[in-house]
Amino acid sequence: MADQNKTPSHTWKEVFEVSGFNLTIIRKLLIPVVNATPFWDPNQPNQVAFSKDVPLDSPGTKLKPFIRLYIPVKLTRKTKLPLIIYIHGGGFISLSVATVGFHDFCNNLAARVRSVVVAVEHRLAPEHPLPAAYKDTLQVILWLKSQALYNIRPDPWLHEFADFSRVFIMGESSGGNIAYHAALRASELDLRPLKIEGVILDQPFFGGVERTSSELRLIEDPYLPLYLADALWSLALPFQANRDHEFSNPFIHGFERVRRVPRWFVKDDEEDPMIDRVKEFVRLLELHKVPVVYRFYPGGFHGMEIENKTDALPLFHEVKNFIYNTGAANY
């Protein structure tokens, strides 16, 4: 009987071609990046949000020098909106807040959920393996605390429109993994007056040495084949760590800290190779009596909401219900 824990037969050259590397780890842009749009853009007649790149001026930050901040258009003064800290996907090794798919997603997230969105530009593996991205996201959270306390130069958009007492951490794919770990680290700190009310995970990227049924069923998935997932972990995890490291596999290293987060929202699709791991994640949340809203949809694929704006509409609706605590719930 074949060893189900072996990696499918593919080469590192294939991995690098799919990921946008050459053999010396020099990135090439497979997906275009776009500029922020802080003002009305005449080339976008249906513009739904404004965005701008904000330098992080907190001392000692190790981030790249900006976050991308989004607000809906047509806001009135004294409007206070929930604040979403958003972490993009890309397998820990690629893409950016400025990648066109994530930029469009955050524009619509701000507009349709009626929220202020802070998109995190985190360091990338393999040059900066995990936990670098967790630390960078935590640095953004601490920067927002300083904003709430007026300890640093205030950003006018944040202070006019963001409700620092209603903060949510959201991530897609590897960004979901980062959101999970950053939220647990943040839960150990005194962030007042910042208050994290929940975590939103969209197709979170978890792993493990033991294969799941969905990984084997979708072993050559066109969006996240198993050989690529294995390679991403090899590039992102600390040196010589395997997929049962705590950064990859949250299930075998203690799960009690999840109780420190008030509410969770978890979403995945049946044709995502991650679906079995995500269902187990929800099962453990329920076992630990943690409030969780979960949505598992038939069909779909990994990264669908980033690739297709229409596919993202149900997610925006569910996230809005979760943030404003309306609509159907599982808890």
Side-chain angles (χ1 to χ4, degrees):
M1 186 180 205
D3 184 354
Q4 292 184 343
N5 293 326
K6 284 187 176 181
T7 303
S9 179
H10 288 272
T11 68
W12 275 100
K13 182 179 179 182
E14 288 177 88
V15 172
F16 278 34
E17 288 173 349
V18 170
S19 304
F21 289 132
N22 67 18
L23 293 180
T24 56
I25 319 294
I26 298 174
R27 289 180 172 82
K28 57 186 178 181
L29 290 178
L30 298 179
I31 304 174
V33 297
V34 292
N35 294 325
T37 52
F39 308 106
W40 283 107
D41 184 350
N43 297 318
Q44 298 184 37
N46 298 317
Q47 186 174 358
V48 297
F50 299 124
S51 59
K52 64 178 179 178
D53 293 335
V54 181
L56 292 186
D57 50 5
S58 55
T61 181
K62 295 181 180 180
L63 283 173
K64 295 180 181 181
F66 74 93
I67 57 174
R68 186 161 286 187
L69 182 60
Y70 299 80
I71 58 172
V73 299
K74 298 180 181 178
L75 288 178
T76 59
R77 288 187 178 277
K78 298 185 179 179
T79 299
K80 290 291 185 179
L81 300 176
L83 192 156
I84 300 175
I85 300 168
Y86 182 79
I87 304 104
H88 68 81
F92 307 107
I93 70 167
S94 64
L95 307 182
S96 162
V97 299
T99 300
V100 62
F102 292 116
H103 177 73
D104 289 346
F105 182 89
C106 287
N107 271 325
N108 286 293
L109 180 66
R112 293 186 176 275
V113 178
R114 298 295 289 173
S115 60
V116 174
V117 177
V118 173
V120 177
E121 181 77 348
H122 60 76
R123 288 172 292 171
L124 299 175
E127 304 96 312
H128 304 285
L130 297 173
Y134 307 156
K135 292 179 178 179
D136 291 349
T137 303
L138 189 61
Q139 187 70 43
V140 170
I141 294 170
L142 293 173
W143 179 84
L144 288 168
K145 174 184 175 178
S146 294
Q147 282 284 323
L149 290 169
Y150 285 87
N151 286 345
I152 56 177
R153 183 174 68 247
D155 179 86
W157 285 10
L158 286 172
H159 283 274
E160 189 165 351
F161 301 118
D163 184 347
F164 292 108
S165 69
R166 289 191 295 163
V167 179
F168 296 82
I169 306 176
M170 178 178 181
E172 183 269 344
S173 187
S174 60
N177 176 294
I178 296 166
Y180 168 76
H181 285 281
L184 295 187
R185 292 175 181 228
S187 71
E188 298 173 346
L189 304 176
D190 181 1
L191 298 175
R192 291 175 295 181
L194 206 71
K195 183 180 180 182
I196 296 175
E197 288 202 335
V199 177
I200 301 162
L201 306 181
D202 179 20
Q203 300 180 328
F205 187 42
F206 296 128
V209 170
E210 188 71 24
R211 302 300 190 190
T212 67
S213 295
S214 61
E215 288 172 338
L216 295 174
R217 174 170 59 87
L218 297 164
I219 193 168
E220 293 289 354
D221 179 70
Y223 302 97
L224 187 62
L226 192 56
Y227 82 90
L228 178 59
D230 286 355
L232 294 175
W233 287 121
S234 296
L235 293 168
L237 288 171
F239 181 60
Q240 293 187 333
N242 68 18
R243 295 187 306 276
D244 279 339
H245 190 278
E246 63 179 314
F247 298 161
S248 172
N249 189 342
F251 310 130
I252 62 173
H253 296 280
F255 208 69
E256 292 75 17
R257 288 186 299 167
V258 294
R259 293 194 186 98
R260 298 175 183 168
V261 176
R263 294 190 293 141
W264 295 81
F265 175 94
V266 183
K267 179 264 179 188
D268 208 345
D269 298 84
E270 290 293 339
E271 296 306 307
D272 176 16
M274 294 293 103
I275 185 67
D276 284 353
R277 296 193 186 278
V278 176
K279 285 183 174 180
E280 176 65 9
F281 180 83
V282 168
R283 188 188 72 82
L284 288 173
L285 287 176
E286 293 182 321
L287 184 66
H288 284 77
K289 301 187 185 305
V290 177
V292 56
V293 173
Y294 56 89
R295 297 291 183 263
F296 299 129
Y297 296 110
F301 56 88
H302 194 81
M304 59 184 293
E305 289 94 359
I306 306 304
E307 185 166 313
N308 188 310
K309 294 179 183 179
T310 302
D311 288 337
L313 295 179
L315 178 62
F316 293 141
H317 175 73
E318 297 282 5
V319 168
K320 186 174 183 179
N321 285 345
F322 176 75
I323 285 178
Y324 287 92
N325 213 8
T326 61
N330 303 111
Y331 53 79

